[in-house]
Amino acid sequence: MVEAKETLATIRRDRFIPIRKSDVLDAVISHGGLDEAQSAELRRLAQMLGAILHHEYFDELDRLRDAYFDFDPEVSAGRHRAPAELDAAYNNLTNEFVRVLGEANFIEITHDEIERAFAEHALVRVKLKAPISDFRAVRMFRRGTHQETIEVPMLYGLRRRKQDIEVYDDIILMVATRPDEPTRTKRKTAAWRGRNKLRGGAVLFKYFRHIARFDLEALLPNVRVVMGLREQLTLGVPALVGGVPILLKLASTLTVLFIVAGFYLGLSGTVHDNDTEQALAALSGLFALGAFILRQWGNFHRQSLIHQKQVTDNIYFRNVNNNSGIFNYLIGEAEDQDWKEALLAYGGLLLASVPLSRAALGSHVEELLQQMFGLGRAFNIDEALIRLRELGLVSGDDGALSALPLPEAIAQLDRVWANALRA
């Protein structure tokens, strides 16, 4: 049980390597104390490795774009597919997208983590309501975290206190709308689409930067601000204090108002002069009550607009890209992370004096990242070894791994590149 928990914790640790490729290469050369000739060979190998991965991920980008075509909200539903075909295409899209996110070292945010985040607010201190049940699927993925200290207003802004919050460096949101039901009328379908701003069956992708964990709920489509208890008391107490005297004053004159109105409509007998005066007073009181209600209603909407602007401002400047526009970025990030992992693993084996086990190699690379960059990360050793074995740059089993020497490794990559061009 303890080992299972430790394994799960390792998987959940961030594996993102936020370091430039040139810095990674320089760190491997510096750490290994390579001479000028060896450094030149390793740089050539790194360049060839980048070219091979770029060629491979170029095809990956085309596959992802093609899988997204039927679900792009900016493209009208031109193809007419059977529901079963669309379901298969949707599953293919989600599998491709999630796989690319994994290669870019994104981690899916669990349902429990999302629920905890929805229950709290920090940067956007308002109550939000998001109709998640209206959608087919809502998934979030994160990569990279850091801590920030913010000042939170207290006592209606009279005091401020400092609070440490967790901030995600990158957030990818995937939202799939429900397909249109055949039994729906055109009018109902059009109204539903207009309300959600997405056509039925579409899939929305959004990429955000620097989002506090507490504000994940504000990223969802169709999120709206609702009044919390504090706002309700702020508006309700003055309304109660101001409205009760008006109602008490009207209570004694409303009967007279009805009598006078009945007299002029021919429904009752006679009225006295003071009855007319009381009726006019009651009428003016009703107008005052109506004006009071309209003012309170206006205050409610004004407060809602202020809160909605707060939410919009917080998200607007953190939205980087949307829909198919994020594919180039994600493919580039997946390629970048793949290159770094493969080079670090190869460099670790190349510089080792004896063959290393899989666990020892992973620990060695993690120590290198910590020592050279002060970066605590769980190195993705499994994916790195899979890549090195595909390229033929490593030999041995997980208990005793060795790197192909640099001249032979360069010759091997030459063959891989030639085969890729002929394919």
Side-chain angles (χ1 to χ4, degrees), residues 86-137:
L86 280 175
D87 287 341
Y90 173 76
N91 292 331
N92 179 57
L93 170 64
T94 55
N95 292 336
E96 285 284 328
F97 189 72
V98 172
R99 183 172 58 80
V100 170
L101 286 174
E103 291 173 351
N105 283 332
F106 278 85
I107 300 173
E108 184 163 8
I109 303 177
T110 64
H111 179 74
D112 292 339
E113 191 174 355
I114 292 177
E115 288 294 327
R116 287 196 304 270
F118 282 9
E120 303 170 341
H121 296 285
L123 295 181
V124 180
R125 299 186 63 80
V126 295
K127 188 176 181 180
L128 303 176
K129 185 175 182 180
I132 297 181
S133 59
D134 291 348
F135 299 101
R136 181 178 186 176

Side-chain angles (χ1 to χ4, degrees), residues 47-217:
Q47 185 179 22
M48 296 177 66
L49 175 63
I52 292 171
L53 293 180
H54 186 70
H55 181 272
E56 178 180 320
Y57 277 99
F58 179 81
D59 294 335
E60 185 80 30
L61 178 60
D62 283 343
R63 286 195 298 271
L64 192 56
R65 284 173 174 168
D66 187 63
Y68 187 52
F69 181 81
D70 287 308
F71 306 95
D72 191 341
E74 300 177 8
V75 176
S76 58
R79 293 192 208 178
H80 298 284
R81 292 191 178 190
E85 292 178 328
L86 280 175
D87 287 341
Y90 173 76
N91 292 331
N92 179 57
L93 170 64
T94 55
N95 292 336
E96 285 284 328
F97 189 72
V98 172
R99 183 172 58 80
V100 170
L101 286 174
E103 291 173 351
N105 283 332
F106 278 85
I107 300 173
E108 184 163 8
I109 303 177
T110 64
H111 179 74
D112 292 339
E113 191 174 355
I114 292 177
E115 288 294 327
R116 287 196 304 270
F118 282 9
E120 303 170 341
H121 296 285
L123 295 181
V124 180
R125 299 186 63 80
V126 295
K127 188 176 181 180
L128 303 176
K129 185 175 182 180
I132 297 181
S133 59
D134 291 348
F135 299 101
R136 181 178 186 176
V138 176
R139 302 174 72 176
M140 292 183 179
F141 305 83
R142 63 175 175 87
R143 188 182 71 172
T145 61
H146 67 274
Q147 296 289 323
E148 288 186 8
T149 301
I150 63 171
E151 290 188 347
V152 180
M154 298 177 60
L155 300 176
Y156 299 96
L158 298 177
R159 294 183 57 189
R160 306 181 75 86
R161 64 178 175 87
K162 292 184 178 181
Q163 178 178 344
D164 294 328
I165 61 172
E166 183 181 9
V167 178
Y168 297 135
D169 295 335
D170 297 280
I171 288 287
I172 299 292
L173 172 67
M174 173 184 171
V175 177
T177 63
R178 297 184 185 277
D180 292 334
E181 298 177 6
T183 56
R184 281 185 177 179
T185 63
K186 292 183 178 180
R187 184 174 180 180
K188 288 184 178 180
T189 301
W192 185 86
R193 289 180 182 178
R195 184 172 65 253
N196 289 274
K197 300 182 178 63
L198 288 173
R199 67 174 176 84
V203 177
L204 175 71
F205 295 119
K206 298 186 79 68
Y207 165 43
F208 299 94
R209 290 277 294 168
H210 301 304
I211 297 296
R213 181 174 65 88
F214 306 94
D215 294 332
L216 290 178
E217 189 175 13

Side-chain angles (χ1 to χ4, degrees), residues 252-359:
S252 60
T253 58
L254 284 177
T255 304
V256 179
L257 177 62
F258 290 138
I259 293 173
V260 173
F263 171 77
Y264 283 103
L265 293 175
L267 301 177
S268 61
T270 60
V271 296
H272 302 91
D273 292 338
N274 62 338
D275 291 339
T276 304
E277 294 176 358
Q278 293 183 20
L280 291 175
L283 192 60
S284 63
L286 286 176
F287 279 116
L289 180 61
F292 179 80
I293 293 174
L294 289 176
R295 184 169 65 250
Q296 292 303 115
W297 183 255
N299 289 338
F300 174 83
H301 281 281
R302 178 178 173 275
Q303 195 71 18
S304 296
L305 288 174
I306 291 174
H307 290 338
Q308 191 68 51
K309 183 179 183 301
Q310 185 181 2
V311 173
T312 303
D313 288 346
N314 181 59
I315 301 305
Y316 177 83
F317 295 103
R318 290 170 171 81
N319 182 221
V320 179
N321 215 325
N322 304 297
N323 301 333
S324 60
I326 72 173
F327 292 163
N328 286 318
Y329 168 80
L330 288 180
I331 291 296
E333 284 295 300
E335 176 186 330
D336 192 69
Q337 295 294 307
D338 198 351
W339 184 93
K340 294 173 187 176
E341 291 165 356
L343 186 74
L344 285 168
Y346 177 81
L349 292 174
L350 179 69
L351 302 177
S353 57
V354 296
L356 298 178
S357 66
R358 169 191 165 280

